Amino acid sequence: MKKIISILITIVMCSCSSREKEFTDDICLRFNAPAKDFLESLPVGNGRLGAMIFGNPNHETVILNEISLWSGGYMDADREDAGQYLKEIQTLLLAKKNREAQDLMQQTFVCKGPGSCAGRSANGKYGCYQIFAELDIDWDDKSEFNSYERILDIEDAVAYVSWTKNGVDYRMTTIADFDKDRIHIKIKPSKPKSISLTASLKRKENAKSYVKDNRLILEGQLPSGEDRGMKYAALADIVLNGGELTEDNSKLKVSNASELEIIIYAMTNFDYNYKGLNDIDPATELLKIGTPEKLSFDRNVKIHSKRYGEYFNRCRWYSRHENKSAKLTVSDRLNNYAKGDKDPEMPILYFNFGRYLLISSSRPGLLPANLQGLWAQEYQTPWNGDYHLNINIQMNYWLAEITGLADLTEPLHRFNAALQDNGRKTAAAYYNAPGWVAHVISNPWLFTSPGEHAGWGSTLTGGAWLTSHLWEYYRFTGDTEFLKRYYPVIKGATEFLNSILIEEEHGWLVTAPSNSPENAYITDDGFVGNTCMGPTIDMQICRQMMYATIKASEILGVDSDFADKLRVTVKKLAPNRVGAKGDLNEWLDDWEDASPQHRHVSHLYGLHPYDEIMPESTPDLAAAVKKTLEIRGDEGTGWSKAWKINFWARLYDGDHALKLFKGLLNPQYSHGGTYPNLFCAHPPFQIDGNFGGTSGLSEMLIQSHGEEEIIRILPALPTDSDWMQGEVHGLMARGNVSVDFKWSNHQLSEITLTPRKAGTVKILIPEGMTYDSKTFDKATTVSINTTPGKKIFIVRK
């Protein structure tokens, strides 16, 4: 009888170690070997804590991250005397002496001190985002293993690793707990007493590791230039079923356990209210957490996945093709897709993965997702892992509202508001101007000064671009309380822009000095420069922010005098201009591009993310931006390709958008594409391409921009058979409308609108569809009065 019971226990343990759900191609990242490096590892995160799972059954490394772990600190980088040179720089630009203007700017109008240290400020005052620590799991038995499988389930936010060694099946499961706010790992074998390993927390610099009361502790303090900076600590508890836990210097040794859980806590002394560093000691605070007395993973993982699913399941996309169980690795799928193989689930997987990454790296009340989201293996992250304000942090959040994750933009908006105080000082110091400004780069220490080089650091619309997200949030949600709270931020950014404009030879008002982000021009006399006045993107952002401020003032019933001034100013702004080649000018003059295929396409901001250029309302400008895109080409860095997907979608060219999407997924990532774990390759890894690509796919499925905010379903549907049919639930349109729809044979069959506020919604109803008993014989825009929660049905009979 005892033998029968033992066999039954073994069977139950084996069945628990096998997969309990079917992982389909749209929700699964699969590998059949341990990760060779960071770019094959699996990311988990809960908005604050992150981990990268390599899955090595002999010697596992889990990279740990915490979103606030930054070196550096607050710094005064404004030049006190910069403003006295402003008029001279502007005079030089008006006289077309750009070379002299740029030289003077480099001498007088960049930041004080080293700034970002050319993107390498791990030990500088600007600082950088860094790896938190590594969890090292060193198994006693290092024999060969087989039946290996590593899976990231992005539907439930769980990472799995399973393998067989010496006849024993093992399964390691990891979550970044959305409920308990910790990293939780479970290791379970099919045979009792099969776990023997040594675990430790380690970090290469600025840290010490030790064991206290059978708990792993790591603590340290990062540099802040010549000062001491942020304090941080991690604590790991190991809970066993059977076996023995003993200290081994700064490590813990596990012997003959039947089941194991590792629970990791981490914290810093950063103040999320942007008030610097707290006086707390993170290690002391963590040691106050009670020691777990029993295994808890199985219960916690269900609650965790439910909490995560409350975000993820708001919006789902299904291909409705025959959905086979995912048998191919991600690498195989990427390679096959690049060769032209059919994979109708690949766009959906990428869409789901992008939403997964944002949910996992942006939590209300914390910091916004940075250049790497949450995940980093470096002590010196590329470009400091900071907040680039000339597209990158904004691109991180393009997907949020449209895919039902508007509330996850809160960290971005709060960071935006926090920039105001420093931004006002910078505006006064450099431009003698009211309002506030932020330039190209920033960090949790709220850097707003120009960068350290005039060639790229003087873009002056970074803060205004960031602020446009406040207005877009309102357009999607209609939340007037939100608009009232953040209106001062919008007004301050617009007030700055309005005050710095100068009149140029045509009588237009332009910004000066500025540049078109990171790009260079060639003047008629052969000067290759960056500094200019009135670059196209600046003028587009000026129009966007002025119109937004005017509308916000009307909605809130405030600042009518200021709004009247803006109504006069906006008419005098330099317009979009078409050049001799038929393309849209990037600069005020029709200069040659120093790099015609440059990664930035900043002058198309008016097409996306702004919406002053549309095929219907501005056909000539739409033709010019198309010509611009043809000249720019389809190559570029990962995030550049992602932006171009959005551009082509806004031009209603689904086939070209799909071509760019396939380019973005290029596994030859040295040319800008996608790494084996689906992280976007600039290269190196930058997460903005993931988010921008997801936004582009969303724009192919639904659009609601433009002055009238007309909802367009499938405006850029490719003719490829992979896109022949599908079903979407929960995409959002401006006006706070949830949209569900189905299509087959490349034709819409059902649309369901669920308004969340009263008002009027406009939708373009395709030819042959029926609404309110009327069948339309051509595509027609219809206005519909809405009641919150009352569904609107449009069908093809």
Side-chain angles (χ1 to χ4, degrees):
M1 184 67 181
K2 288 182 179 180
K3 185 174 181 180
I4 294 173
I5 292 173
S6 176
I7 292 171
L8 288 172
I9 291 172
T10 301
I11 291 172
V12 169
M13 293 184 75
C14 286
S15 100
C16 288
S17 68
S18 63
R19 288 187 282 117
E20 290 144 357
K21 65 181 285 186
E22 189 71 16
F23 294 111
T24 52
D25 293 341
D26 58 336
I27 59 161
C28 164
L29 274 67
R30 176 191 296 276
F31 292 85
N32 58 14
K36 295 191 291 291
D37 55 38
F38 178 83
L39 300 168
E40 292 186 356
S41 60
L42 301 178
V44 296
N46 67 4
R48 188 178 75 86
L49 298 175
M52 298 296 294
I53 312 303
F54 285 62
N56 191 314
N58 290 333
H59 196 154
E60 168 67 325
T61 298
V62 178
I63 289 175
L64 302 173
N65 293 114
E66 203 273 0
I67 202 162
S68 71
L69 188 70
W70 265 76
S71 62
Y74 289 100
M75 61 190 294
D76 178 9
D78 289 340
R79 287 179 180 251
E80 295 82 358
D81 62 346
Q84 72 186 48
Y85 297 98
L86 176 64
K87 286 296 183 184
E88 185 177 356
I89 294 168
Q90 291 175 335
T91 300
L92 289 168
L93 288 171
L94 287 168
K96 299 189 181 297
K97 295 182 178 180
N98 292 52
R99 184 194 305 271
E100 292 83 352
Q102 186 160 310
D103 288 345
L104 183 58
M105 285 194 70
Q106 186 60 46
Q107 297 167 27
T108 65
F109 220 74
V110 295
C111 64
K112 180 173 62 179
S116 70
C117 300
R120 298 189 61 81
S121 192
N123 296 309
K125 199 66 178 176
Y126 183 90
C128 89
Y129 182 65
Q130 298 191 5
I131 182 176
F132 199 98
E134 295 178 18
L135 171 67
D136 188 88
I137 302 174
D138 190 13
W139 288 80
D140 289 4
D141 180 4
K142 293 183 171 59
S143 58
E144 291 185 2
F145 53 88
N146 52 44
S147 302
Y148 184 91
E149 185 175 66
R150 185 161 51 94
I151 288 175
L152 179 63
D153 173 6
I154 58 179
E155 185 175 51
D156 289 330
V158 183
Y160 300 95
V161 186
S162 59
W163 67 93
T164 300
K165 184 185 289 188
N166 293 324
V168 180
D169 298 326
Y170 291 86
R171 191 183 201 190
M172 171 178 159
T173 312
T174 306
I175 61 173
D177 199 325
F178 268 75
D179 183 59
K180 302 295 185 182
D181 197 19
R182 60 195 188 184
I183 303 296
H184 201 158
I185 299 171
K186 172 185 174 181
I187 301 176
K188 187 169 185 177
S190 60
K191 181 179 178 182
K193 300 181 180 181
S194 297
I195 302 176
S196 294
L197 53 81
T198 301
S200 61
L201 291 172
K202 62 183 184 180
R203 197 176 197 274
K204 292 180 181 179
E205 59 186 43
N206 300 309
K208 61 178 180 180
S209 300
Y210 56 94
V211 174
K212 184 173 183 179
D213 300 329
N214 268 359
R215 312 178 90 179
L216 294 171
I217 309 292
L218 178 142
E219 62 174 309
Q221 188 170 16
L222 297 184
S224 176
E226 297 180 358
D227 305 317
R228 301 292 288 162
M230 186 180 293
K231 294 180 180 179
Y232 62 97
L235 179 151
D237 283 317
I238 298 180
V239 189
L240 303 180
N241 175 11
E244 185 179 11
L245 184 66
T246 56
E247 292 187 18
D248 181 8
N249 295 319
S250 61
K251 304 176 182 180
L252 287 175
K253 183 169 179 57
V254 176
S255 302
N256 303 316
S258 297
E259 192 173 347
L260 171 152
E261 292 183 11
I262 303 175
I263 302 172
I264 305 167
Y265 304 90
M267 68 181 299
T268 73
N269 68 332
F270 179 75
D271 187 328
Y272 285 105
N273 292 314
Y274 295 100
K275 295 181 179 179
L277 300 175
N278 295 315
D279 294 331
I280 63 170
D281 178 65
T284 301
E285 295 300 312
L286 289 179
L287 284 167
K288 294 177 182 177
I289 299 173
T291 305
E293 297 180 355
K294 58 183 180 180
L295 302 174
S296 59
F297 184 91
D298 291 344
R299 178 178 68 254
N300 290 341
V301 71
K302 294 178 182 177
I303 300 172
H304 153 79
S305 293
K306 181 180 179 182
R307 289 282 301 274
Y308 164 80
E310 289 169 1
Y311 290 105
F312 184 77
N313 291 319
R314 292 175 184 175
C315 177
R316 296 300 299 266
W317 174 12
Y318 305 97
S319 76
R320 296 311 179 200
H321 288 71
E322 182 181 350
N323 197 356
K324 303 182 294 295
S325 175
K327 298 298 182 184
L328 295 178
T329 66
V330 182
S331 294
D332 287 341
R333 291 180 68 184
L334 287 171
N335 287 322
N336 291 344
Y337 201 60
K339 295 174 185 175
D341 286 6
K342 296 297 181 182
D343 190 343
E345 306 299 330
M346 181 60 85
I348 304 176
L349 174 65
Y350 198 88
F351 176 88
N352 286 337
F353 186 59
R355 296 184 71 247
Y356 168 84
L357 292 176
L358 186 63
I359 297 167
S360 301
S361 63
S362 185
R363 189 204 298 180
L366 304 181
L367 290 176
N370 59 48
L371 277 173
Q372 297 191 205
L374 171 62
W375 301 275
Q377 64 175 334
E378 302 93 347
Y379 295 85
Q380 175 57 71
T381 41
W383 299 285
N384 295 317
D386 69 0
Y387 307 128
H388 270 46
L389 307 182
N390 61 355
I391 187 171
N392 309 93
I393 190 173
Q394 293 92 338
M395 183 180 282
N396 282 2
Y397 286 89
W398 284 350
L399 68 95
E401 288 91 354
I402 196 172
T403 71
L405 301 175
D407 44 344
L408 297 187
T409 62
E410 190 273 348
L412 183 75
H413 303 325
R414 203 161 38 78
F415 169 68
N416 189 354
L419 290 173
Q420 290 179 98
D421 286 347
N422 282 356
R424 277 189 282 267
K425 296 174 185 176
T426 302
Y430 286 81
Y431 305 94
N432 309 307
W436 70 274
V437 65
H439 290 81
V440 183
I441 53 175
S442 193
N443 54 21
W445 317 119
L446 307 176
F447 187 94
T448 57
S449 307
E452 60 265 27
H453 195 283
W456 57 265
S458 61
T459 302
L460 55 74
T461 45
W465 185 343
L466 194 64
T467 303
S468 72
H469 280 246
L470 297 172
W471 180 243
E472 281 300 297
Y473 180 93
Y474 173 76
R475 291 181 72 187
F476 270 95
T477 66
D479 186 343
T480 53
E481 287 302 313
F482 173 91
L483 185 62
K484 183 177 181 180
R485 185 183 328 131
Y486 283 103
Y487 173 74
V489 186
I490 297 173
K491 179 185 176 183
T494 305
E495 191 175 21
F496 166 77
L497 294 174
N498 186 58
S499 69
I500 64 163
L501 299 169
I502 65 172
E503 186 174 308
E504 52 77 77
E505 62 183 354
H506 298 89
W508 297 325
L509 296 178
V510 295
T511 55
S514 190
N515 58 40
S516 189
E518 301 182 35
N519 202 4
Y521 53 77
I522 306 174
T523 62
D524 295 339
D525 63 1
F527 171 61
V528 179
N530 309 92
T531 300
C532 64
M533 56 184 180
T536 298
I537 183 175
D538 277 16
M539 308 322 299
Q540 293 168 343
I541 290 177
C542 283
R543 277 189 290 275
Q544 180 185 28
M545 291 310 302
M546 288 182 183
Y547 283 130
T549 305
I550 291 167
K551 292 176 183 177
S553 73
E554 293 172 349
I555 294 165
L556 299 175
V558 297
D559 289 329
S560 59
D561 289 345
F562 182 54
D564 286 340
K565 292 178 182 177
L566 295 178
R567 290 186 180 94
V568 173
T569 301
V570 75
K571 295 177 182 179
K572 298 179 180 180
L573 295 175
N576 293 302
R577 303 179 73 192
V578 179
K581 296 178 180 178
D583 60 333
L584 193 71
N585 282 351
E586 184 163 0
W587 295 276
L588 199 59
D589 294 274
D590 192 11
W591 289 322
E592 289 293 322
D593 293 334
S595 177
Q597 284 77 49
H598 197 272
R599 62 191 176 278
H600 283 267
V601 200
S602 303
H603 48 314
L604 301 197
Y605 179 92
L607 175 67
H608 181 277
Y610 186 31
D611 54 13
E612 70 175 8
I613 299 174
M614 294 183 66
E616 299 91 344
S617 57
T618 59
D620 292 343
L621 290 177
V625 299
K626 182 177 181 181
K627 182 65 175 179
T628 301
L629 287 169
E630 291 170 351
I631 293 172
R632 268 303 199 263
D634 295 333
E635 295 303 314
T637 59
W639 66 261
S640 178
K641 292 177 180 177
W643 197 3
K644 291 172 185 175
I645 299 171
N646 291 269
F647 288 144
W648 285 106
R650 286 278 176 100
L651 292 174
Y652 309 144
D653 191 334
D655 287 337
H656 209 132
L658 178 58
K659 180 182 178 183
L660 262 300
F661 174 72
K662 290 184 175 182
L664 176 61
L665 265 64
N666 179 10
Q668 302 301 318
Y669 44 78
S670 61
H671 303 293
T674 296
Y675 293 114
N677 64 356
L678 286 191
F679 274 174
C680 183
H682 179 287
F685 162 50
Q686 273 187 207
I687 205 166
D688 45 10
N690 288 102
F691 294 141
T694 303
S695 167
L697 291 169
S698 304
E699 291 277 347
M700 294 166 72
L701 296 171
I702 185 173
Q703 295 176 20
S704 60
H705 57 285
E707 187 174 351
E708 295 186 83
E709 298 182 350
I710 298 169
I711 299 173
R712 295 172 172 83
I713 312 296
L714 300 180
L717 182 67
T719 58
D720 189 287
S721 61
D722 276 0
W723 293 68
M724 181 186 301
Q725 60 196 38
E727 182 174 344
V728 171
H729 299 276
L731 280 172
M732 298 300 297
R734 290 166 181 82
N736 208 353
V737 181
S738 178
V739 184
D740 306 338
F741 52 93
K742 299 179 182 179
W743 74 97
S744 60
N745 296 318
H746 290 101
Q747 193 174 60
L748 276 166
S749 55
E750 297 179 23
I751 303 171
T752 303
L753 308 180
T754 307
R756 296 181 179 175
K757 60 187 289 290
T760 302
V761 62
K762 293 184 178 181
I763 181 169
L764 180 64
I765 298 179
E767 176 187 350
M769 296 198 76
T770 299
Y771 164 68
D772 197 21
S773 301
K774 179 180 179 180
T775 300
F776 294 86
D777 57 7
K778 64 179 180 179
T780 306
T781 298
V782 176
S783 295
I784 303 172
N785 294 327
T786 60
T787 301
K790 184 176 180 181
K791 295 183 181 297
I792 298 165
F793 300 100
I794 302 168
V795 299
R796 186 176 301 278
K797 294 184 177 179

